[in-house]
Amino acid sequence: MVSGSPYLQVSFFFFLFVVSSFAGDPYVFYDWTVSYITASPLGDKQQVIGINGQFPGPILNVTTNWNVVVNVKNDLDEPLLFTWNGIQHRKNSWQDGVSGTNCPIPAGWNWTYEFQVKDQIGSFFYFPSLNFQRAAGGYGGIIINNRAVIPLPFGMPDGDISIFISDSYTKSHKGLRKDVENGVDLGVPDGILINGYGPYRYDPTLVKDGIVYQIINVEPGKTYRFRVHNVGISTSLNFRIQNHNLLLVETEGSYTIQQNYSNMDIHVGQSYSFLVTMDQNASTDYYIVASPRFVNSSDWSKVNGVAILHYSNSQGPASGPLPILNDYDTYFSMNQARSIRWNISAGAARPNPQGSFKYGDITVTDVYVILNRPVELIDGKKRTTLNGISYLPPSTPLKLAQQFKIPGVYKLDFPNKLMNRLPKLDTSVINGTFKGFMEIIFQNNDTTVQSYHLDGYAFFVVGMDFGVWTENSRSTYNKWDGVARSTTQVFPGAWTAILVSLDNAGIWNLRAQNLDSWYLGQETYVSVVNPEADQSEVLLPENSIYCGILSSLQKDQAQRVNFSGAISISGSSKTVFIMLIIALIGHSFR
C-alpha cells in the first residue's frame, strides 16, 4: 500500500511506469566463482570443479524471454568456457561458449555472459566446454519457465526436482584427458553419481561404507516434476524409481505426448522431465537408480548410481535388490526412443501450438550423411572423425575470424558424405544455407552408443533404425510429430535422421556429446550467414576476449563487475530515466 500525499502517490506509480517502459524483458544476474573444491563422492577425496563452492553448480531458474547475465570468475589453473546445452542464443552465437565462438577465459580472469532465453521453455543444463573439464564437474541446471499467459499442458506440480546423473572417475580430469590423448580407453567408471553423490549402500559387497548419498524428501500423494540430465562423460544411463511410474512430459524444450514409462534410457547430454506421483504406501524408502546401459562386461554390474526417495511417512529404509533391467538391449531402447513424440497441440513459449510449424511439409535444401567410425590413426595418433575429418580447433575462434574477415582460419568445405580418401585433421565447416532446411543423417559405424548435439537449434528427430541408411529409409520418417530437441542418440550399427530449419544466423557447434569422442575430433560447425544486412543480429560484444591472430587487440583485464540485481537500463534510456527520477523526487518534497 502506498501512503503519503496524493502527488507522491502519482509520482510512485509514474516511477513504476517508467521502469516497465524502459526495462523491456526482465534481467537476472548471477555472479559465479569457478574453482577446484575437494569432495568425496565415491568415498575417497578428489578434486572437482565447483561454482561458488557448490557441486553440482547452482540452478539458473528463469522465465521465457528473460535476459540472463552471468559473471564468471575463473579461479581454475587453466582456461575456461561455459556452454549452455540447448539454449539457442537467437542470432547471438557470441555467447555460446565453445572454442569456435569464444576465446577462453584465462585463469584468474572474469568474463560476463549476457544472453536472452528467447522463445524457449523447458529443461537444460550448462557445463565447461574445454579441456575435458566436464569430467570434473562445473555443471548445473537451467530451468526456463512458461510465462504466466501460457498454460502448462499438465497440472502445476507440487515441487520441482533437478537430478544430474553421470559416470565418474576418481582420476582427475587432467589425468583422464592425458589418457585419451595417449589413446588409452577410459574403461569402466569408478561409479555413477546422482547430484554429485555416490551410491546408497544397497549391497555391502559392492558399495563400501561411509559414502554420502542423495536423499530426495517427498510428501505422500503429491506430484513432483523430476528434471533428469545425463551430464556424464560417455555412458548411457537408465533412470528409474522403484515402484513409481515416470510420466514423460518434456525433453530439452519440447512438450511431449504424455506417456508412462517404468524406466528411461538417458544418453550423454540428454535431458528429460517426468511427473512422478507419490502414490505408494511408504512401507519403506524407495531406490532411485541410474545404471549403465549397453555394456556387457561383468565389471560394469558393480557400477550403479543409487539415491533414496524418502516419503515423510516412510516406515523404514530401502532394502533388497535394485529394480531389474536388461543391461544390453538396444532394440528395447530404440523402440522406447521412437515412442517419444511431440505434443503438437500444446503451446510452448508462445500461445500457438507446437505443431503449428509443419516441418513435414518443408522442402529439404541440403542433405548431410555424417559417418562416425571407431578411433583411427592420423599422423600416428588415435583420433575420432566425422566423414573422415578429425576437427582441428584453430587458435582464433571461427566467429572472430568471420567477424574480422581473416582468411585461412577455416574452410567451408565439410563433405556431405564420406569421401574416398584417408582420414585427416582439418578445420572444415558446414556451409549452411540461411533459412534452408537441412537433413542430417548420423550413421554410427562404431561399437558404442554416441549422442550428437547441435548448438543454436532444436531439430526434429524423424527416424532411426539399425543398418545402413539409404534413400529408401525416408519412407519410414515421422513427418508429423517427431520430437524437437537438441541432442539425439545414435545406436551402434544404426542411423538417426534429423531435420533442422536454419533460421538462426551464426556459427554453431555440431559435436559428439561423449567427451572422449568430442575431445579427439568428433565435431564441426555449421556456418549460417544471412546474406542481407540483419540489424537484429547481435554485434561483437564490447567485452570480447581476443586470442590467436587477434591477440594484439586484447587489453588488460577489465575491472570485475559487481551486480546489484537491479533492473538493467542502458544508453540514452538510462539518462532519461535518471532525469525523470530526479525530477520526481524534487517535486515530491516541495
Side-chain angles (χ1 to χ4, degrees):
M1 179 178 179
V2 181
S3 60
S5 69
Y7 192 90
L8 184 58
Q9 292 181 34
V10 171
S11 300
F12 177 82
F13 287 113
F14 186 62
F15 167 81
L16 293 181
F17 171 76
V18 172
V19 169
S20 62
S21 296
F22 286 99
D25 292 313
Y27 277 71
V28 60
F29 299 88
Y30 296 89
D31 216 359
W32 288 357
T33 297
V34 184
S35 63
Y36 298 118
I37 61 176
T38 300
S40 306
L42 297 172
D44 298 316
K45 288 185 178 180
Q46 64 186 90
Q47 191 180 72
V48 300
I49 295 175
I51 300 175
N52 296 343
Q54 299 179 43
F55 168 68
I59 304 290
L60 297 182
N61 195 333
V62 297
T63 297
T64 300
N65 294 344
W66 282 16
N67 296 281
V68 180
V69 183
V70 185
N71 186 53
V72 176
K73 173 68 186 310
N74 179 11
D75 273 353
L76 304 180
D77 58 357
E78 57 186 14
L80 170 72
L81 281 175
F82 278 104
T83 193
W84 320 88
N85 206 65
I87 303 304
Q88 293 177 15
H89 300 295
R90 302 295 300 177
K91 301 183 181 182
N92 190 15
S93 57
W94 297 112
Q95 306 296 320
D96 201 24
V98 287
S99 66
T101 58
N102 299 83
C103 293
I105 306 168
W109 283 39
N110 74 283
W111 197 73
T112 303
Y113 290 90
E114 183 171 348
F115 56 87
Q116 186 178 29
V117 289
K118 183 71 174 174
D119 291 334
Q120 286 192 264
I121 55 93
S123 309
F124 312 93
F125 66 93
Y126 59 84
F127 66 89
S129 64
L130 301 179
N131 298 320
F132 227 75
Q133 290 164 351
R134 192 175 82 208
Y139 49 75
I142 304 173
I143 296 172
I144 307 181
N145 302 290
N146 290 52
R147 291 174 291 160
V149 295
I150 310 296
L152 290 169
F154 45 82
M156 179 65 71
D158 297 298
D160 202 297
I161 298 167
S162 290
I163 292 185
F164 306 97
I165 57 178
S166 62
D167 49 0
S168 181
Y169 296 78
T170 55
K171 183 178 286 190
S172 72
H173 76 281
K174 294 178 183 178
L176 294 171
R177 182 172 74 205
K178 187 174 182 179
D179 285 347
V180 170
E181 288 172 351
N182 292 331
V184 178
D185 290 337
L186 290 171
V188 179
D190 297 301
I192 305 297
L193 304 189
I194 297 180
N195 285 353
Y197 292 98
Y200 171 76
R201 201 176 189 206
Y202 67 97
D203 185 335
T205 65
L206 298 178
V207 182
K208 62 184 178 182
D209 195 16
I211 292 178
V212 179
Y213 54 89
Q214 174 76 77
I215 301 175
I216 304 293
N217 293 304
V218 295
E219 295 294 327
K222 293 191 174 181
T223 297
Y224 297 82
R225 183 172 182 172
F226 281 70
R227 302 177 192 260
V228 188
H229 312 271
N230 185 338
V231 295
I233 300 173
S234 64
T235 306
S236 296
L237 297 170
N238 182 270
F239 179 81
R240 54 201 187 276
I241 302 177
Q242 186 180 28
N243 292 0
H244 289 74
N245 282 319
L246 307 175
L247 180 63
L248 179 65
V249 295
E250 177 255 336
T251 178
E252 296 160 26
S254 291
Y255 290 124
T256 64
I257 296 294
Q258 295 174 22
Q259 301 179 80
N260 278 307
Y261 296 87
S262 59
N263 62 81
M264 178 63 71
D265 287 339
I266 304 179
H267 303 275
V268 179
Q270 292 186 330
S271 301
Y272 287 94
S273 276
F274 307 100
L275 296 183
V276 184
T277 299
M278 304 304 135
D279 55 4
Q280 299 300 298
N281 60 17
S283 56
T284 65
D285 292 341
Y286 299 93
Y287 294 127
I288 301 173
V289 183
S291 58
R293 291 286 275 149
F294 320 119
V295 290
N296 51 16
S297 165
S298 60
D299 292 337
W300 284 84
S301 64
K302 305 172 185 176
V303 181
N304 287 295
V306 184
I308 292 300
L309 185 73
H310 175 74
Y311 281 53
S312 60
N313 62 339
S314 174
Q315 298 174 38
S319 61
L322 301 180
I324 295 174
L325 184 74
N326 185 338
D327 289 336
Y328 206 101
D329 189 348
T330 52
Y331 288 91
F332 168 86
S333 188
M334 181 178 285
N335 286 331
Q336 183 185 73
R338 288 167 169 163
S339 73
I340 299 169
R341 300 299 181 95
W342 208 28
N343 185 344
I344 59 173
S345 63
R350 296 181 178 183
N352 51 300
Q354 289 184 152
S356 61
F357 183 83
K358 301 186 185 304
Y359 69 88
D361 295 336
I362 301 174
T363 301
V364 170
T365 56
D366 301 281
V367 179
Y368 282 80
V369 180
I370 298 181
L371 178 70
N372 159 47
R373 295 188 295 206
V375 172
E376 45 199 323
L377 286 177
I378 302 178
D379 298 336
K381 290 190 174 182
K382 289 186 176 180
R383 299 285 299 184
T384 56
T385 61
L386 296 175
N387 281 0
I389 297 175
S390 186
Y391 183 78
L392 183 64
S395 59
T396 306
L398 313 179
K399 185 65 178 171
L400 277 174
Q402 181 190 69
Q403 172 74 21
F404 287 88
K405 298 180 172 57
I406 301 171
V409 173
Y410 64 93
K411 294 176 284 186
L412 292 170
D413 64 351
F414 189 87
N416 62 6
K417 61 182 178 180
L418 181 67
M419 307 298 286
N420 185 22
R421 62 191 182 192
L422 294 174
K424 64 176 182 175
L425 292 167
D426 205 354
T427 309
S428 182
V429 173
I430 293 174
N431 189 7
T433 304
F434 182 64
K435 293 192 175 178
F437 198 54
M438 184 177 287
E439 177 184 14
I440 300 176
I441 298 95
F442 296 104
Q443 180 77 55
N444 184 6
N445 283 13
D446 205 343
T447 58
T448 59
V449 178
Q450 296 288 327
S451 53
Y452 292 96
H453 176 89
L454 177 60
D455 284 347
Y457 293 96
F459 50 69
F460 299 96
V461 182
V462 295
M464 60 178 66
D465 204 352
F466 293 102
V468 176
W469 181 88
T470 68
E471 300 279 344
N472 292 332
S473 301
R474 292 194 179 103
S475 64
T476 67
Y477 283 6
N478 175 359
K479 292 192 173 183
W480 174 243
D481 61 356
V483 71
R485 62 188 313 167
S486 59
T487 301
T488 187
Q489 70 273 45
V490 191
F491 294 97
W495 57 267
T496 296
I498 66 171
L499 296 173
V500 57
S501 177
L502 299 180
D503 62 348
N504 190 14
I507 289 183
W508 303 106
N509 189 224
L510 175 63
R511 62 176 177 267
Q513 292 280 47
N514 304 51
L515 266 184
D516 48 350
S517 299
W518 182 9
Y519 190 74
L520 290 179
Q522 268 201 17
E523 70 173 316
T524 184
Y525 285 79
V526 182
S527 175
V528 183
V529 176
N530 186 346
E532 300 176 359
D534 187 349
Q535 300 302 319
S536 64
E537 188 169 353
V538 176
L539 301 176
L540 174 74
E542 292 182 3
N543 66 341
S544 285
I545 297 174
Y546 297 97
C547 55
I549 297 171
L550 298 170
S551 294
S552 61
L553 299 179
Q554 183 57 49
K555 299 177 181 178
D556 292 337
Q557 170 69 74
Q559 184 177 357
R560 185 174 183 187
V561 177
N562 291 310
F563 296 127
S564 65
I567 295 173
S568 174
I569 305 171
S570 60
S572 59
S573 298
K574 182 183 289 183
T575 303
V576 173
F577 176 73
I578 292 171
M579 292 174 65
L580 285 167
I581 296 304
I582 292 171
L584 288 171
I585 293 172
H587 281 292
S588 299
F589 289 98
R590 285 183 179 178

